[in-house]
Amino acid sequence: MPLQGFCSFLCCRHGFTVLGRDYGEKEEEESFELRSKEDEATCNGRGPLDITLTQPGRTANGPSSRSEIPEEMRSLIIEKSKGAIEEDAETVVKGWLYREVRGGWIKMRRHWFVLTQDSLDFYTSNEKNAKRLGSLVLTSLCSVIWPDKQSYKETGNWSIMVYGRKHSYRLYTKHFNEAVHWACAIQKVIDSKAPVETPTQLLIRDIEENKFNPEAVGHIYKHNPILKHTQSPLYASLLPFPYASLEHTFHSAKGYTTLRDEAVKIFNSLQQLESAQDPVSLIQGVLQTCLDLRPLRDEVYCQLVKQTSGTPSPDTPAQLRYWQLLTCMSCTFLPSLSILKYLRFHLKRVQSQYPDTEMDNYATFISEAIGKTKGREYVPSWEEILVLMNRQEMFCTIHYPGRGSCKLPIRSHTTADEVVKKMKERLGLQLSRNIFALFEGNTYKERAVGGSTIVADILTSLAAKEPESEHQWKLCFKLYCFLDTDSVPKDSIEFTFLFEQSHAMVIQGHLFTSEEDLQLLAALRLQSLNGDFSTHTPSPPLEELFPRHVIEARALALVKTAPAKPACCPSRFLTGALHAGLWNHTAVHKIKAEDDLRFRARLKEEGASMMASIVESWKTLQGRAREDVMSVYISVVKQWPGFGSTLYEIDFYISSTGSFSQRLWLGVAATSVSLYRQGDPEPLESIHYGQISSYGVSDSTTFKITAGDREFLFETSKLNEIAQLMTAYITSAHRTQRPSQRTGSENFALGSPVQELSSHPV
């Protein structure tokens, strides 16, 4: 086709229209593409916005074969000397391959394939005048899927997949090396191609170059409807995407096809926003697609800029829907640098064209948001989207020890560190030497939140957990590092934090002391909650006062020592081996059921006995003030040398000195890391931070500490939590040692959780 056939597409530097056009007609005959700047020098001096027609250089009959080589020896021929034969001047690889055929009873056909610098062609045979049956033009947007074992197991052949704009080839060969060689060669040709650029990309670049010339920019928008709002559907993406399908990725389970198709579907969803009665679900769907398919984020930004430019009726509710989605996008994802510049220019242009309007307000809000937005792990919740659509703040409930809570205003970019800072200011804890953090958890589970974690993401994840759990998940503000527990004023809220968290450690069994001390602590707890004893005052359950595992251990020991009643064996009906087998099976179940009943009864008796002892101790505290009993409580728990340690359960432990054990507690404290047997107050091993040279994750379940010439390996599921807490304590110790060298940039921030942590030298 002569180049003059495309004259209707060519125009001045600021004006050509390609809205809704799919590039080219028949890929096997011709294909045109917009070249990048690097390719302009070889295009006979054409301007940067010229559309060039590239025609693959090949003969109609294809390259000639070498008849002197037997056919079975010519399955793969690599042309090393180009130009030796005129027909093979551009041939890279040629050989016999099988091609998958769809729709017929024959699944695979054998063809002669020729790879050139422009295309992948296949012929009826390897003869000189063989008929070319098909061609796939190769551009930078083509892609190759390499051979995998699954296809080999299913077909007995190694397959490669080549994706083009109009169609794709699935090719087979019996030899793995041959399949890899074809894939490498095709990929090399694809990589050698100049990047394809769409008209939208070139116009964005043109706008960037003329952003200080309003007249030129106005001319670009006037003569290029592709940049402005449209009611018509979009038939091609605004940005270039690879032709490959997403069926080979983990996104295939969600029903995604190709990025180009998904881009067109998203534009259709955008247009439905204008008339949708409930736009939140549509907005959430678009955001979810952008979260799953990262390359589509720039495309959606370009589509939204397009639909908010040159609107026929600005400031109407239908048109403002685009601005509401753009607001949600700007608070969830950031575009690439080039699209970010284009977005900023668009927002400033709208603000100058439509001052004191809703569009102006949205543009101002978005400009501020993109300067603070960080990557999100979750799509905004329904409530967050409603708040963003109205450009408002949302409120987050933060709980803290002592059954207190407060609501804080947050935005989509607010981090856990920022919330901790606000909570310290609100509760007057700015001067505390201890370190605080946010925790997410319920009655039985708890985890410290990374300082850089987005709070809105935490709220979304907690909302998703609640339907699966019987216990409410919530965000709590608590003590994280116990650096100074001696100088905390007894009448301060920080002392309440210390008291409540110490009691939580007692209930969880993380404080090793005698049973008598545990009874005294339970009585002190009752006095702090209810004051003086009264028969009319309801008492909390025993599980909230005394460690349940202690009572269970006592009940289990008594059940084991009690004599069991012998079971009688029926002698009628069944005899022999069948009788013995069935009887043994039935007897085992019966014995287990009876043991369980005895254990439950004994547990109830022991619980009642323990509660009676606690109440008697409570009566002796008559007249003691709450601050007084809290102080006594703290003094009792401080008798344990490991007070202030955060305990983590260790499944397995081994050291380079030969020590080995299972089921231990690893205590991370302000000055050292210690190992405890469960229930033993004295540590098995204690490693001071000054002795540790490095620590970190050894593999997915193993934590490693190196202290001098000794190494300690711990198998645990709490790898991230242990590493973060150790880092916090060691960082604080270094600050204490070098206060004069501290700078404002050294403020502690709890690191965000990661899958694997590299070793930390100390």
Side-chain angles (χ1 to χ4, degrees), residues 353-455:
Q353 289 180 336
Y354 305 97
D356 301 325
T357 62
E358 278 295 288
M359 295 172 64
D360 180 19
N361 295 333
Y362 276 109
T364 302
F365 185 90
I366 294 169
S367 298
E368 296 176 358
I370 58 179
K372 301 177 181 178
T373 296
K374 305 172 181 66
R376 295 285 296 269
E377 295 181 9
Y378 296 92
V379 167
S381 63
W382 192 280
E383 293 77 14
E384 184 180 353
I385 290 176
L386 289 175
V387 167
L388 290 175
M389 289 172 65
N390 295 308
R391 306 187 306 276
Q392 296 174 346
E393 292 180 329
M394 54 184 172
F395 287 87
C396 171
T397 301
I398 307 295
H399 301 264
Y400 55 86
R403 301 181 181 179
S405 66
C406 62
K407 287 190 174 183
L408 293 180
I410 63 170
R411 293 192 178 273
S412 298
H413 54 77
T414 303
T415 63
D417 274 343
E418 294 171 353
V419 170
V420 168
K421 184 178 179 181
K422 290 180 181 178
M423 287 295 296
K424 290 177 67 176
E425 292 174 354
R426 178 165 293 194
L427 300 176
L429 298 170
Q430 300 96 315
L431 300 180
S432 173
R433 291 188 57 198
N434 296 307
I435 295 176
F436 298 82
L438 280 185
F439 291 76
E440 58 174 338
N442 58 15
T443 308
Y444 301 105
K445 295 181 181 179
E446 190 175 71
R447 185 183 70 87
V449 174
S452 60
T453 306
I454 304 297
V455 177

Side-chain angles (χ1 to χ4, degrees), residues 144-162:
V144 181
I145 304 298
W146 285 54
D148 61 274
K149 290 184 179 180
Q150 186 61 32
S151 64
Y152 181 77
K153 291 178 181 178
E154 294 174 353
T155 64
N157 294 282
W158 296 97
S159 71
I160 62 173
M161 193 76 184
V162 186

Side-chain angles (χ1 to χ4, degrees), residues 263-502:
V264 173
K265 292 177 184 177
I266 285 181
F267 190 79
N268 181 46
S269 298
L270 263 58
Q271 290 180 316
Q272 294 178 27
L273 278 175
E274 296 187 24
S275 56
Q277 293 184 351
D278 182 17
V280 177
S281 57
L282 275 174
I283 291 175
Q284 206 166 29
V286 172
L287 294 176
Q288 184 64 55
T289 303
C290 291
L291 179 69
D292 295 339
L293 306 177
R294 188 183 184 92
L296 283 181
R297 297 174 187 178
D298 281 357
E299 171 73 19
V300 174
Y301 269 110
C302 288
Q303 291 181 6
L304 288 171
V305 171
K306 169 185 171 65
Q307 291 300 92
T308 53
S309 299
T311 52
S313 51
D315 255 14
T316 59
Q319 296 301 319
L320 290 179
R321 292 283 176 81
Y322 294 113
W323 284 101
Q324 292 166 351
L325 176 53
L326 187 56
T327 300
C328 295
M329 282 287 296
S330 67
C331 292
T332 311
F333 314 110
L334 281 179
S336 63
L337 183 59
S338 60
I339 303 301
L340 182 60
K341 291 180 180 179
Y342 177 47
L343 174 63
R344 290 186 185 276
F345 173 81
H346 169 67
L347 296 175
K348 291 180 180 178
R349 186 167 180 264
V350 168
Q351 287 175 300
S352 63
Q353 289 180 336
Y354 305 97
D356 301 325
T357 62
E358 278 295 288
M359 295 172 64
D360 180 19
N361 295 333
Y362 276 109
T364 302
F365 185 90
I366 294 169
S367 298
E368 296 176 358
I370 58 179
K372 301 177 181 178
T373 296
K374 305 172 181 66
R376 295 285 296 269
E377 295 181 9
Y378 296 92
V379 167
S381 63
W382 192 280
E383 293 77 14
E384 184 180 353
I385 290 176
L386 289 175
V387 167
L388 290 175
M389 289 172 65
N390 295 308
R391 306 187 306 276
Q392 296 174 346
E393 292 180 329
M394 54 184 172
F395 287 87
C396 171
T397 301
I398 307 295
H399 301 264
Y400 55 86
R403 301 181 181 179
S405 66
C406 62
K407 287 190 174 183
L408 293 180
I410 63 170
R411 293 192 178 273
S412 298
H413 54 77
T414 303
T415 63
D417 274 343
E418 294 171 353
V419 170
V420 168
K421 184 178 179 181
K422 290 180 181 178
M423 287 295 296
K424 290 177 67 176
E425 292 174 354
R426 178 165 293 194
L427 300 176
L429 298 170
Q430 300 96 315
L431 300 180
S432 173
R433 291 188 57 198
N434 296 307
I435 295 176
F436 298 82
L438 280 185
F439 291 76
E440 58 174 338
N442 58 15
T443 308
Y444 301 105
K445 295 181 181 179
E446 190 175 71
R447 185 183 70 87
V449 174
S452 60
T453 306
I454 304 297
V455 177
D457 276 342
I458 304 172
L459 297 178
T460 303
S461 66
L462 295 185
K465 290 178 182 177
E466 282 189 6
E468 306 173 1
S469 175
E470 299 178 0
H471 304 278
Q472 181 184 9
W473 286 79
K474 55 188 178 181
L475 270 179
C476 297
F477 172 75
K478 299 172 61 177
L479 278 166
Y480 182 62
C481 293
F482 295 80
L483 299 174
D484 181 15
T485 59
D486 296 328
S487 60
V488 178
K490 296 180 181 179
D491 58 347
S492 66
I493 191 171
E494 187 175 3
F495 194 80
T496 303
F497 277 41
L498 190 61
F499 170 70
E500 294 290 343
Q501 291 185 230
S502 297

Side-chain angles (χ1 to χ4, degrees), residues 551 640 666:
I551 302 175
W640 177 45
L666 178 68

